[in-house]
Amino acid sequence: MQCAVAEFLAHLSRERRLSSHTCRAYQTDLKQFQAFLQKRWDPPDLKRVSRDDVRAFLGDLNQLGFSRRSIARKLASLRTFLSYLCLTGRLERNPAHQVGAPRQEKSLPAHLDLAEAARAVEAPPPGTLLGVRDRAILELLYGSGIRLRELAGLTLDAIDLDSGLIRVQGKGGKERLVPMGRKAREALLNYLQRRAEFPPSEADRGRVFLSRSGRALTPSGIQHRVVRYLAGVTGGRRLGPHTLRHTFATHLLDAGADLNAVKEMLGHASLSTTQIYTHISVERLKNAYRRAHPRA
């Protein structure tokens, strides 16, 4: 099975051009399935896997405390892997197709209100080099809605301050142009004017956001700082960069932005993914009605 998994991961990277982060997620999921099979047969035999084995695997994950969302993702990884084996002639059928994913809990993504968002982006200490850099990070996350990894991978040649656009490398290697607001442009310009104070390493000379040592900031490094700033303005709530992405989309739609335009800015493949933000707006309407109407 290990050889089949290695070949499958190489196929995902080479043919489907999935990111290394996504490939690692597939690898983790399939390692868990392999460990599960080894409890049944050693060595694990994929040709013996049935629908009941897949169901038992999902039940095992549930017992281990995985959320429904995580279990559904692991099932999707397994389906894709077994479909690849069918395509290459190693299997005759895909038993995972006969197993339904667990019903998902309906939860709306956390987001900030306008006042919280304003306090969040202004949280870094002004005047200091790190404060100027972090202000640019927060303004860009909220002002463009880009993902954490997209921001971490941003290069200098992808920024056009004159037009207020950034070229983003999204999921699956897809590029898109995203506008940024006036405040984000100002914060980014302020940072770029002082960026030379970070001594950039040769390997990371073209990256936008640098650490004290001149190396490119990692996604985890950016996340750590964003979590700290957001906790400071929301009473200790543990929120991260994706909260600013959700806030970006919610505030646009609340102000009457077109759903398709928001979809393109977020880089969503499907409109149904973007529509969750309309539910947030509807929920606000319901809450306002309940608070204000005498017969609510």
Side-chain angles (χ1 to χ4, degrees):
M1 181 172 172
Q2 286 182 336
C3 293
V5 170
E7 184 182 316
F8 170 65
L9 294 174
H11 163 76
L12 294 180
S13 176
R14 184 179 60 251
E15 303 296 333
R16 294 182 54 181
R17 299 184 63 189
L18 298 186
S19 69
S20 58
H21 176 71
T22 304
C23 289
R24 282 195 299 272
Y26 272 102
Q27 185 177 32
T28 299
D29 296 342
L30 295 176
K31 272 188 176 180
Q32 286 180 312
F33 184 61
Q34 181 178 359
F36 169 79
L37 290 185
Q38 282 177 329
K39 298 176 187 175
R40 301 195 157 206
W41 321 298
D42 196 7
D45 186 357
L46 289 170
K47 292 183 178 179
R48 294 176 60 183
V49 174
S50 67
R51 176 184 61 183
D52 291 339
D53 294 317
V54 176
R55 283 178 172 169
F57 172 57
L58 301 187
D60 197 49
L61 293 173
N62 184 58
Q63 289 293 320
L64 290 170
F66 284 92
S67 68
R68 292 182 184 180
R69 184 181 297 276
S70 294
I71 293 173
R73 193 203 74 191
K74 293 176 189 298
L75 175 60
S77 296
L78 184 57
R79 282 176 180 165
T80 306
F81 172 58
L82 296 179
S83 291
Y84 172 76
L85 296 184
C86 291
L87 188 66
T88 55
R90 289 179 173 84
L91 291 180
E92 294 182 359
R93 58 183 177 76
N94 184 345
H97 279 318
Q98 300 172 320
V99 179
R103 182 175 296 176
Q104 297 299 302
E105 306 99 330
K106 291 185 177 179
S107 59
L108 297 177
H111 64 283
L112 309 178
D113 60 31
L114 288 169
E116 287 174 330
R119 291 200 303 273
V121 296
E122 294 168 2
T128 67
L129 180 58
L130 294 182
V132 169
R133 181 201 63 187
D134 293 349
R135 173 70 182 263
I137 287 173
L138 291 165
E139 287 280 10
L140 201 53
L141 287 169
Y142 173 52
S144 67
I146 61 176
R147 300 177 178 95
L148 170 62
R149 288 185 177 275
E150 293 170 346
L151 181 130
L154 205 59
T155 55
L156 292 170
D157 60 4
I159 298 173
D160 187 342
L161 289 172
D162 291 333
S163 63
L165 293 171
I166 52 177
R167 188 177 70 253
V168 176
Q169 189 87 11
K171 289 185 176 181
K174 296 178 181 176
E175 281 193 354
R176 69 184 190 280
L177 288 175
V178 181
M180 53 180 163
R182 178 176 56 85
K183 292 286 188 180
R185 289 168 67 184
E186 290 175 359
L188 193 53
L189 179 60
N190 289 340
Y191 163 66
L192 292 176
Q193 288 172 341
R194 297 191 61 178
R195 179 179 171 277
E197 296 177 43
F198 293 105
S201 66
E202 190 61 37
D204 297 325
R205 188 170 297 277
R207 299 287 279 277
V208 173
F209 292 108
L210 303 176
S211 66
R212 291 177 187 268
S213 62
R215 302 302 303 270
L217 279 176
T218 63
S220 60
I222 295 171
Q223 176 156 334
H224 173 75
R225 301 189 73 81
V226 173
V227 168
R228 192 183 69 192
Y229 287 125
L230 295 187
V233 300
T234 61
R237 292 166 65 196
R238 184 169 175 78
L239 304 170
H242 225 63
T243 300
L244 294 175
R245 178 172 162 86
H246 295 320
T247 303
F248 163 82
T250 304
H251 290 178
L252 277 176
L253 290 169
D254 281 350
D258 177 71
L259 188 62
N260 274 299
V262 176
K263 167 186 171 292
E264 293 301 318
M265 284 186 271
L266 292 173
H268 286 161
S270 169
L271 191 62
S272 61
T273 310
T274 317
Q275 283 176 330
I276 188 170
Y277 298 108
T278 64
H279 301 327
I280 295 175
S281 298
V282 170
E283 199 61 34
R284 284 185 174 183
L285 291 176
K286 288 181 180 178
N287 289 334
Y289 181 86
R290 293 189 192 106
R291 288 195 304 269
H293 196 279
R295 294 185 181 274

